[in-house]
Amino acid sequence: MVRKMLGAVFVLLALLATPASAASPLTNVSQQLICQCGCNMTVANCTHQDCMSAPAMRTLIQQKLDQGLSEEQVVQYFVTEYGEQVLASPPKKGLNLVAWILPFAVIIAGAIIVYLALKKWVFQGRTSQVEVKTEAEEDDEKYRLRLEQELKQFGERGYR
Amino acid sequence: MADIGYIALLLALVASLYSATAFVFGKRRNIPALVDSARNGVVAVCGLVSIAVLALLYAILTHDFQIEYVASYTARDMSLTYLLSAIWAGNDGSLLFWAWLLALFGMIVVLQRRDVGRELVPYASTIVMVTEVFFLFLLLSVANPFHKLSFLPADGRGLNPLLENPGMLFHPPNLLGGYVGFTIPFAFAMSALLTRRLGDEWIVSIRRWTLVSWLLLSIGNIIGAWWAYVELGWGGYWAWDPVENASLLPWLTGTAFLHSIMMQRRRGILKKWNMVLVIITFSLSIFGTFLTRSGILSSVHTFADTTLGPFFLVFIGVTLFSSLGLLYYRSELLNSEAEMESLVSRESTFLMNNLFLVGAAFAVFLGEIFPLISEAVRGVKITVGAPFYNQVNGPIFLAIIFLAGVCALIGWRRSSVSNLMRNFLWPLAIALVIGSALIILGVRQPYAVFAFTVCAFVLTTILYEWFRGTRARRRMRGDNYLKAFFGLLGANRPRYGGYTVHIGLVLIAIGVIGSSFYNVEKEATLLPGESMSIKNYTLTYENKDTFQTETRQVDSATLSVFNGGKLLGKIVPSKYYSVSYEQSVTEVAIRSTPAEDLYAILIGWDDAGATSFKILVNPLVSWIWIGGIVLVLGGLIAFWPERRKLPVEIRVEARETVGSVSNKKSGNGINKVRSSSEARRG
């Protein structure tokens, strides 16, 4: 349960926390768009010397911003001009949601499987184990003993 | 020289085919002589491929430009170190290097003195040799590094100027070493499946191979990030470029594997899972080599286009199909022994760690292939770039780091919740104090505050665990703290090496969080004498300088850096035009402190003297490199061999108790151990 909730919190965080940076609107927009010189980098990051695309795109972004368009509108302008592939990451809608959500869905599904497997193993362990050691309160003395034992076992049986 | 290299490769192909077959026959028909001969075959392969490597090196050093590879990647004016690094600068050479490393590792496997897993060696070596055959076949057909030109060029093309960086001497060999290294765990796993020896044997045999491959891959990636940061000049260190991702994937699954084999050792669980992980990791390593070298994706790594693609795909396909098939046929032998005592135990954190690591790998892989899916389903081309990976993997990585902290607080086997609370109290309190302090100091972005707090928590738990261990040991033995601490480290190096690696990872995380949330950048066009300010820095443009070296035409601009009126020093970003490569390259200037890096890029200038700069302030980037060093150190601590007197003693004792029974067999074993230990001393 705790794990599921944790998972849900992470999904939420991932979807909400689009890092807001203190950078200029030009930088913000150019970080969202992919340079078209074939470098696979964002317009902000392309440093190819012979790149014909990034400087032109930067100028265009600045022009559009100067015309009074908002950052989102400028990004939208580029999407209509170049198609969706100009975006550095797929917009969170339609089929693209699969890419955004599937990793977390897989992890949550995996967590459930892990939880069930653990439960099964613990159950088997309890039934097969004659004596189950409990460590209700582990004070320093017990910690010392446990550590000593673990280190000793390491020496005897190798590799812990 | 070229002919010698080519012939050596041809003979190596024959020898590795022979070894691969002889191991199988010798083992199945029980002919020890044949197995020994196959063993010698592996040594011969290593010798022959070494001859080929030396032949190529000789050609490079003597500037034999008749050989296409030498002409493409070297030139007369290159320094000795860069000439040597030309071995892996290009496609064919790096595949030769791959084959050589594999032959070397294969030879170490057959010559290694081992107390467990000796029965696994023949089939494992067959797998290694089959892989070797594949690479030798590539080298002899489509990627021949000894291919001759029909004419003799006066000079070579030289190294790509972007690769002229000390990082390039270490990044490729480490990365390739990591890729190659994962072949050995895979080979032993397959051998365990084939021979039905599915106990702990294979896991014990490959722990250190896995560790060393993982370590090489880590070093390769960290140096690669550093190279990108100082050489590519966009101010970042990780671009989520497809090839970077390709090297991250086996790293993630390899990390999961390193942890999950501990579960099999301790608890007899996850046997099938370990097999799946090692198969995936090996396939991803080959996939990584393939992506780097096939030229199907354009990126900073693609320095050549060849027709390697189909071969690699077939090899990966056959590997996956046959190994997963074999796993399926043996799956009944791999049932868990399944004994766990509690849900709240360190074991559980290991399972979660595996889940998140593989989840992260899945997310990266999905990002890689999603453009293909989108185009197939919707017919729309999309790009999956850095923002996607940051937002999806950020939380997963944070969860992994958080687990490293929880793990240190929970005992093996069984912990009670109240005990857990008690252990959590101090680290959590300290982490919350640090978190609040950060808010007071002006760190306001919720995500960053949260992430920093998690890092503080993990760091505290690990240090707390060390402190408790040291204190316990001091009380127990009456040592002083220092002696107790090192005694603790030495008593269980894998464990404390692991903790050190975790500390390194947390430091890297702190650097990544700081630099991705709080970087500031500014562009300005200045005339000499003019100033700009960014954060608390003021930069004054002093002058521009143009000069010529033998191979480059360099333009550099000098900026004085002031902080609050105080001169801190000068930085000189520059740009040069490489004559032989007809390419201009930006050389950034970085002023690095533990708190932040001032990163200056020279963009351009006009005839009137107005010069444009892009200046970035990247906080905490140095922490990434320091964390990297700590990580490598931890890996080395974990890797360092234990003193090996124990197995011999055990065997001697065994012989004494067993007496004359099966004297021949155990006697052989001892002789082997003795002779190899003597060989080692000599």
Side-chain angles (χ1 to χ4, degrees), chain A residues 3 6-7 9-11 13-24 26-27 30-32 34 38-50 58 83-104 106-112 114-115 117-126 128-129 131-141 143-148 150-151 153-160, chain B residues 203-204 207 232-234 239 241-242 258 261-262 265-266 269-270 298-300 336-343 346 348 351-352 355-356 359-360 362-363 366 370 373-374 377-378 380-388 391-393 395-396 398-399 402 409-416 418-419 422-423 445 447 450 465 468-469 471-473 475-477 488 491-496 516-517 519 521 523 575 582-586 603 614 642 646 650:
Chain A
R3 268 178 222 114
L6 262 180
V9 169
F10 283 128
V11 177
L13 273 175
L15 296 180
L16 294 181
T18 314
S21 74
S24 66
L26 172 63
T27 312
S30 55
Q31 275 172 348
Q32 291 175 50
I34 288 285
C39 61
N40 269 331
M41 309 263 278
T42 60
V43 173
N45 289 346
C46 179
T47 48
H48 286 204
Q49 293 304 316
D50 313 321
R58 255 176 245 143
E84 222 170 89
Q85 57 180 318
V86 79
L87 292 170
S89 63
K92 290 165 193 154
K93 60 178 187 210
L95 180 75
N96 296 339
L97 278 175
V98 173
W100 287 97
I101 292 174
L102 197 58
F104 297 99
V106 165
I107 287 177
I108 292 170
I112 295 169
V114 168
Y115 178 73
L118 264 172
K119 249 185 129 165
K120 196 183 106 195
W121 287 331
V122 170
F123 179 74
Q124 288 178 354
R126 283 214 179 115
S128 71
Q129 205 92 5
E131 167 213 9
V132 175
K133 208 176 56 182
T134 48
E135 292 176 37
E137 276 292 299
E138 188 181 57
D139 51 26
D140 284 344
E141 184 57 23
Y143 175 81
R144 188 183 66 73
L145 289 172
R146 168 161 77 82
L147 182 76
E148 190 66 357
E150 278 175 14
L151 293 181
Q153 276 181 346
F154 167 72
E156 281 165 1
R157 291 162 51 185
Y159 166 38
R160 276 287 139 101
Chain B
I203 290 218
V204 174
R207 186 191 85 96
L232 290 184
W234 55 277
D241 170 286
L258 264 180
I261 52 177
M262 283 189 240
R265 275 287 278 161
R266 293 186 64 87
I269 55 175
L270 301 183
S298 71
S299 80
V300 290
S336 293
E337 290 148 32
E339 270 183 31
M340 296 272 282
E341 286 143 41
S342 168
L343 279 178
R346 193 174 280 188
S348 302
L351 295 181
M352 293 310 288
L355 176 64
F356 285 128
F362 174 73
L366 187 67
F370 200 72
I373 297 176
S374 172
V377 177
R378 288 167 66 208
V380 178
K381 278 190 181 171
I382 58 160
T383 313
V384 178
F388 171 84
Q391 285 176 58
V392 172
N393 283 304
I396 304 178
L398 197 61
F402 178 69
L409 293 180
I410 305 187
W412 288 110
R413 299 162 75 94
R414 185 179 184 83
S415 268
S416 66
S418 67
N419 169 20
R422 198 168 153 271
N423 286 347
Q445 287 185 35
Y447 198 85
F450 180 66
E465 166 81 4
R468 289 214 299 172
R471 195 177 53 180
R473 232 181 135 80
R475 286 198 189 141
M476 220 154 49
R477 318 209 157 180
L488 188 73
N492 188 341
R493 279 196 287 270
R495 173 176 174 153
Y496 293 99
S516 30
F517 283 94
N519 63 330
E521 64 173 71
E523 281 187 39
K575 219 173 191 182
E582 299 178 352
Q583 185 180 344
S584 51
V585 177
T586 311
I603 294 178
K614 184 170 173 180
E642 297 294 327
L646 212 63
I650 288 172

Side-chain angles (χ1 to χ4, degrees), chain B residues 81-201:
Chain B
T81 32
Y82 284 117
L83 278 177
L84 293 175
S85 81
I87 274 276
W88 51 71
N91 215 349
D92 308 346
S94 58
L95 288 176
L96 176 62
F97 187 69
W98 218 105
W100 179 66
L101 280 180
L102 187 62
L104 192 68
F105 290 178
M107 187 179 78
I108 296 172
V109 165
V110 296
L111 296 184
Q112 213 172 18
R113 180 162 58 117
R114 54 181 81 245
D115 310 306
V116 253
R118 212 174 283 146
E119 295 296 314
L120 295 172
V121 172
Y123 283 148
S125 300
T126 298
I127 307 281
V128 172
M129 284 297 111
V130 169
T131 314
E132 182 75 23
V133 165
F134 169 69
F135 279 93
L136 289 173
F137 169 74
L138 289 183
L139 287 168
L140 290 168
S141 56
V142 286
N144 178 10
F146 299 104
H147 184 256
K148 282 186 195 163
L149 292 169
S150 52
F151 59 99
L152 181 66
D155 197 357
R157 214 166 152 232
L159 198 66
N160 185 318
L162 280 174
L163 299 182
E164 282 184 39
N165 173 292
M168 275 305 115
L169 300 178
F170 304 104
H171 166 64
N174 275 298
L175 208 58
L176 289 173
Y179 284 155
V180 178
F182 280 119
T183 311
I184 308 296
F186 172 77
F188 271 89
M190 289 306 106
S191 176
L193 285 175
L194 286 167
T195 53
R196 293 193 174 80
R197 303 176 73 94
L198 292 161
D200 283 353
E201 240 181 321

Side-chain angles (χ1 to χ4, degrees), chain B residues 18-19 23 33-46 110-111:
Chain B
Y18 166 75
S19 274
F23 271 124
L34 198 55
V35 174
D36 281 345
S37 149
R39 214 176 277 260
N40 295 336
V42 175
V43 179
V45 171
C46 183
V110 296
L111 296 184

Side-chain angles (χ1 to χ4, degrees), chain B residues 407-449:
Chain B
C407 157
L409 293 180
I410 305 187
W412 288 110
R413 299 162 75 94
R414 185 179 184 83
S415 268
S416 66
V417 176
S418 67
N419 169 20
L420 206 60
M421 289 297 173
R422 198 168 153 271
N423 286 347
F424 263 75
L425 192 67
W426 277 111
L428 202 62
I430 293 172
L432 288 177
V433 168
I434 292 175
S436 327
L438 285 174
I439 295 177
I440 293 166
L441 288 172
V443 181
R444 293 289 150 80
Q445 287 185 35
Y447 198 85
V449 173

